[in-house]
Amino acid sequence: EKYVYLFHEGNASMNELLGRKGANLAEMSALGLPVPPGFTITTSACRRFYDEGKTIHPDIGRDIYHALHTLEETSGKRFGHPSNPLLVSVRSGSSTSMPGMMDTILNLGLNDYTVTALVKHKENKHFAYDSYRRFIQMFSSIVLGVDESLFEDELEKVKQQANVEQDSQLTPDHLLDLILIYKEIVMKETGHKFPQDPKQQLLTAIGAVFDSWYNPRATFYRRIHKIPDHIGTAVTIQQMVFGNLGPNSGTGIAFTRHPSTGENELFGEFMFNAQGEDIVAGIRTPQPMTVLKERLPETFAQFDTIACHLEKHYRDVQDIEFTVEESELYVLQTRSAKRTAEANIKIAVDMANEGVIDREEAIMRVDPAAIAPLMQHTIDPAAELNVIGKGLDASSGAATGIIVFDAEEAERQHRTGHSVILVRQETTPEDIHGILASAGVLTTRGGVTSHAAVVARDLGTPSVVGCESFKVDMEQRELHTDTVILKEGDVITICGSTGRVILGEVPLVPPKFSREFCTLLEWTNEFKTMRVYSSVNTPQEAELARKMGAEGVGLCRTELMFMDPERLPRVTRMILARNQFERRKALNELIPMQKYDFHGIFRAMAGKQVTIRLIDPPLHEFLPNPSALALELERARVAGDNELVEEKEALQQRIEILHELNPSFGHRGCRIGITYPEIYEVQTRAIAEAALELKMEGIEVYPRIIVPLVSDWREMKKVRETVEETLQQVFSIYRDRIDIPIGVFIELPRACMTADKIAEYADFITFGTNDLTQSAYGFSRDDAEGKYLAYYLDNNILPENPFVYLDTEGVGRLIEIAIEQGRKNKPNLKTGVCGEHTSEKDSVLFLQNLGMNFISSVPQRIPSARIAAAQAAI
Ligand code: PEP
Ligand code: MG
């Protein structure tokens, strides 16, 4: 097996073997772009490294030296040569990009001799000594495990003694002193001299980069992005070029289109006299690309041409790292750019319109889960805001929350239900778990290509970076702004679309879709074959759903129509009723309201199907909380209000009678409609009356009724009889009729297994995958996550949360059986799914492949569902 590839031996398609970075460097070399020469050690060498107890097999070592030798020949330099030394960078890169999560070592090959050669060669003492100083620091902390702050502290001390602010102001003598101090630190901490043999440096560095695959931040990043652990990282060795050689050198990162807005313009940042890591780490805030254009117009023009070339070649927006060494341009990396959801959509649609990709591909490029930020509210433009600062707009969207100053606190506060804004001077990859727990991220330093910005965009977290007028005081845990001092726990709002930082909470407005987003959603209709309905409970939601492109209502949960505080007591009264008389009385109060809502929903969905579920009250969701009730009773007693005491006591008794140990599987669903048929009767009447009344107005209505939580065909038969009888009564009173199909809501395994018999009494089948997941696993959907499911997921007992990602093996198989059974005697039986899974792309693809006819989502997720449905059909 070949473990080492020179750049010219690889290409972009070898991503899995060479990692994305290695494969793209190979591709760029082949394109004839100015890429410093190098080679890549494969991901398979990394896997072998782990298989063999974290050692690099001598065979692989030999291949590495062999490639190194070739590199020496191409570069005309020699590794460790005292007058013409080769220096290299050692960089990680897996097949899925994990920005900043693994380690990188620059300037490798420096030692006490080669540094002197570097001085002579570049005629720049400061540069040479600073490179050596940085190398000792990087190598020792990453490879030898020396605490990096020991070096940082000494650097600070020397700067103080020299009375300078910037590293670049230190004299060569200061740097020489530092090198000596650094070497002493290494001796003291490791018991060995700093390694002088470049080949030894190289092998140990490669091992360390392999080893960084399992560092905590990389492991965490993989977990949240669902990147498998076993794939490993490749390591790329590349000849160094120097951006820190003086005023005509520098380093930059540029995007071929704007990563926040998607605007088609070169967008990037540049830092003169710096090395690549300086930008990524956000230690200095870089300047916009125009500075390069002004100072080195030819170099800039060359870069611009290359950037266009790369975007065309890869047919996607590129994020390009480059270095200018004394006006000479070198490209060090290109990759598909991480971007905000908004930018992603604009870019996909623009590229389809430009003819670079087709519409199918444009749709495929939009992750249905990643558009959530676009559905978020934004700051009301008319609101009066107390803007306390402005930074760079790094990741769009607005977020309000309490200030926290470190990742641990962010996690802690998030766990207790707080919305938090993580405020840092700059973020490091170690902060990733804190960023994940935060509603927004604010940094006082760093540019829009800094770590914080890249990760925030990737996660869809609103972010403002480089807010330089702010100072973070970590000791006092305070944020000093120009006008106020804020403490941890104070509330701020950040607007990642404009870079504003605002004191306190602010009024928000609902989202407005960009033109490109509307276009993309239009395009979904050209491809998708499943209908996308919405699950709505009010006329307002129905209107919203229609605006979002819903093709009808797939589920109206009638019990949820009563959740507002005015209506809820009436539902409670109905549930608590001791006899039919009391129940009818409560119903008579409820139904007019419900009928009114049906009118509204039918109207909003004129011309479209509206499926209404007969009442399904899991009792525990609707009854007063017993301890709250006990408290109220106590208060009434203290107040001496006998009437109230009596009422509360009666209520308490009734609740005790109705109390169920397992309410999810209790007296709910069609069991209610069978034991108290008057409830379903009255609801059916309201549905039919509302429909007929609108029909009279000339509005097209297509009502459908669905029966929840059926486990046996006899239940379905019984309810169907009740519903049909009632419909006939209404039709004869109204002297008109309307077709109202009656379907079954399948949420229980038994119903799946016997769907053939049930289908005899059902005009269509809808699967409720929330309850079906609950009943298939026997996991309570209310408690599982907090109790054991989180543990299961953390410890890989289960790969995914089945309430979010449809479990295809078990729940999916049940659905498959039910469809087979159901269509045995009714080959054209329509089936669909309601439940939380209907906007999740893998689940939707699975449902498409089962031959599902429709899915139904809440209005806010209709766009995701439409995209997922189109992708499933492409
Ligand atoms: C379901 O169980 O999947 C469903 C849609 O119904 P509900 O969430 O109302 O129980
Ligand atoms: Mg259900």
Side-chain angles (χ1 to χ4, degrees), residues 432-443:
I432 172 92
H433 60 291
I435 299 179
L436 195 74
S438 302
V441 178
L442 169 65
T443 72

PDB file of all heavy atoms in Angstrom, residues 432-443:
ATOM      1  N   ILE A 432     -15.150  25.368  21.543  1.00  0.00           N
ATOM      2  CA  ILE A 432     -16.218  24.865  20.683  1.00  0.00           C
ATOM      3  C   ILE A 432     -17.473  24.433  21.457  1.00  0.00           C
ATOM      4  O   ILE A 432     -18.588  24.750  21.065  1.00  0.00           O
ATOM      5  CB  ILE A 432     -15.696  23.725  19.757  1.00  0.00           C
ATOM      6  CG1 ILE A 432     -16.806  23.047  18.995  1.00  0.00           C
ATOM      7  CG2 ILE A 432     -14.895  22.678  20.455  1.00  0.00           C
ATOM      8  CD1 ILE A 432     -17.050  23.662  17.673  1.00  0.00           C
ATOM      9  N   HIS A 433     -17.301  23.756  22.599  1.00  0.00           N
ATOM     10  CA  HIS A 433     -18.504  23.312  23.331  1.00  0.00           C
ATOM     11  C   HIS A 433     -19.277  24.501  23.886  1.00  0.00           C
ATOM     12  O   HIS A 433     -20.486  24.451  24.028  1.00  0.00           O
ATOM     13  CB  HIS A 433     -18.161  22.298  24.421  1.00  0.00           C
ATOM     14  CG  HIS A 433     -17.225  22.822  25.464  1.00  0.00           C
ATOM     15  ND1 HIS A 433     -15.904  23.095  25.202  1.00  0.00           N
ATOM     16  CD2 HIS A 433     -17.421  23.139  26.753  1.00  0.00           C
ATOM     17  CE1 HIS A 433     -15.329  23.539  26.305  1.00  0.00           C
ATOM     18  NE2 HIS A 433     -16.231  23.588  27.259  1.00  0.00           N
ATOM     19  N   GLY A 434     -18.552  25.576  24.186  1.00  0.00           N
ATOM     20  CA  GLY A 434     -19.223  26.780  24.679  1.00  0.00           C
ATOM     21  C   GLY A 434     -19.977  27.496  23.559  1.00  0.00           C
ATOM     22  O   GLY A 434     -21.074  28.013  23.755  1.00  0.00           O
ATOM     23  N   ILE A 435     -19.384  27.505  22.380  1.00  0.00           N
ATOM     24  CA  ILE A 435     -20.044  28.151  21.238  1.00  0.00           C
ATOM     25  C   ILE A 435     -21.335  27.403  20.933  1.00  0.00           C
ATOM     26  O   ILE A 435     -22.378  27.988  20.671  1.00  0.00           O
ATOM     27  CB  ILE A 435     -19.113  28.174  20.005  1.00  0.00           C
ATOM     28  CG1 ILE A 435     -17.849  28.978  20.327  1.00  0.00           C
ATOM     29  CG2 ILE A 435     -19.831  28.748  18.796  1.00  0.00           C
ATOM     30  CD1 ILE A 435     -16.832  29.050  19.202  1.00  0.00           C
ATOM     31  N   LEU A 436     -21.240  26.093  21.030  1.00  0.00           N
ATOM     32  CA  LEU A 436     -22.405  25.267  20.737  1.00  0.00           C
ATOM     33  C   LEU A 436     -23.548  25.531  21.718  1.00  0.00           C
ATOM     34  O   LEU A 436     -24.718  25.453  21.361  1.00  0.00           O
ATOM     35  CB  LEU A 436     -22.001  23.792  20.796  1.00  0.00           C
ATOM     36  CG  LEU A 436     -23.002  22.860  20.168  1.00  0.00           C
ATOM     37  CD1 LEU A 436     -22.936  22.970  18.666  1.00  0.00           C
ATOM     38  CD2 LEU A 436     -22.731  21.435  20.597  1.00  0.00           C
ATOM     39  N   ALA A 437     -23.180  25.875  22.952  1.00  0.00           N
ATOM     40  CA  ALA A 437     -24.204  26.099  23.979  1.00  0.00           C
ATOM     41  C   ALA A 437     -24.749  27.528  23.933  1.00  0.00           C
ATOM     42  O   ALA A 437     -25.669  27.863  24.663  1.00  0.00           O
ATOM     43  CB  ALA A 437     -23.608  25.806  25.356  1.00  0.00           C
ATOM     44  N   SER A 438     -24.180  28.365  23.069  1.00  0.00           N
ATOM     45  CA  SER A 438     -24.536  29.781  23.102  1.00  0.00           C
ATOM     46  C   SER A 438     -25.512  30.165  21.993  1.00  0.00           C
ATOM     47  O   SER A 438     -25.488  29.598  20.917  1.00  0.00           O
ATOM     48  CB  SER A 438     -23.272  30.634  22.933  1.00  0.00           C
ATOM     49  OG  SER A 438     -22.345  30.316  23.947  1.00  0.00           O
ATOM     50  N   ALA A 439     -26.319  31.168  22.312  1.00  0.00           N
ATOM     51  CA  ALA A 439     -27.236  31.694  21.296  1.00  0.00           C
ATOM     52  C   ALA A 439     -26.497  32.642  20.367  1.00  0.00           C
ATOM     53  O   ALA A 439     -26.898  32.863  19.235  1.00  0.00           O
ATOM     54  CB  ALA A 439     -28.391  32.414  21.965  1.00  0.00           C
ATOM     55  N   GLY A 440     -25.396  33.220  20.880  1.00  0.00           N
ATOM     56  CA  GLY A 440     -24.617  34.137  20.069  1.00  0.00           C
ATOM     57  C   GLY A 440     -23.188  34.216  20.585  1.00  0.00           C
ATOM     58  O   GLY A 440     -22.916  33.841  21.725  1.00  0.00           O
ATOM     59  N   VAL A 441     -22.286  34.693  19.726  1.00  0.00           N
ATOM     60  CA  VAL A 441     -20.879  34.800  20.109  1.00  0.00           C
ATOM     61  C   VAL A 441     -20.396  36.210  19.788  1.00  0.00           C
ATOM     62  O   VAL A 441     -20.657  36.726  18.699  1.00  0.00           O
ATOM     63  CB  VAL A 441     -20.017  33.771  19.332  1.00  0.00           C
ATOM     64  CG1 VAL A 441     -18.551  33.927  19.687  1.00  0.00           C
ATOM     65  CG2 VAL A 441     -20.481  32.350  19.610  1.00  0.00           C
ATOM     66  N   LEU A 442     -19.698  36.798  20.761  1.00  0.00           N
ATOM     67  CA  LEU A 442     -19.140  38.141  20.569  1.00  0.00           C
ATOM     68  C   LEU A 442     -17.658  38.095  20.920  1.00  0.00           C
ATOM     69  O   LEU A 442     -17.299  37.616  21.996  1.00  0.00           O
ATOM     70  CB  LEU A 442     -19.878  39.120  21.494  1.00  0.00           C
ATOM     71  CG  LEU A 442     -19.299  40.530  21.647  1.00  0.00           C
ATOM     72  CD1 LEU A 442     -19.355  41.307  20.345  1.00  0.00           C
ATOM     73  CD2 LEU A 442     -20.052  41.304  22.740  1.00  0.00           C
ATOM     74  N   THR A 443     -16.781  38.554  20.016  1.00  0.00           N
ATOM     75  CA  THR A 443     -15.374  38.651  20.376  1.00  0.00           C
ATOM     76  C   THR A 443     -14.903  40.088  20.197  1.00  0.00           C
ATOM     77  O   THR A 443     -15.468  40.848  19.416  1.00  0.00           O
ATOM     78  CB  THR A 443     -14.448  37.735  19.535  1.00  0.00           C
ATOM     79  OG1 THR A 443     -14.346  38.258  18.219  1.00  0.00           O
ATOM     80  CG2 THR A 443     -14.955  36.307  19.490  1.00  0.00           C
TER      81      THR A 443
END
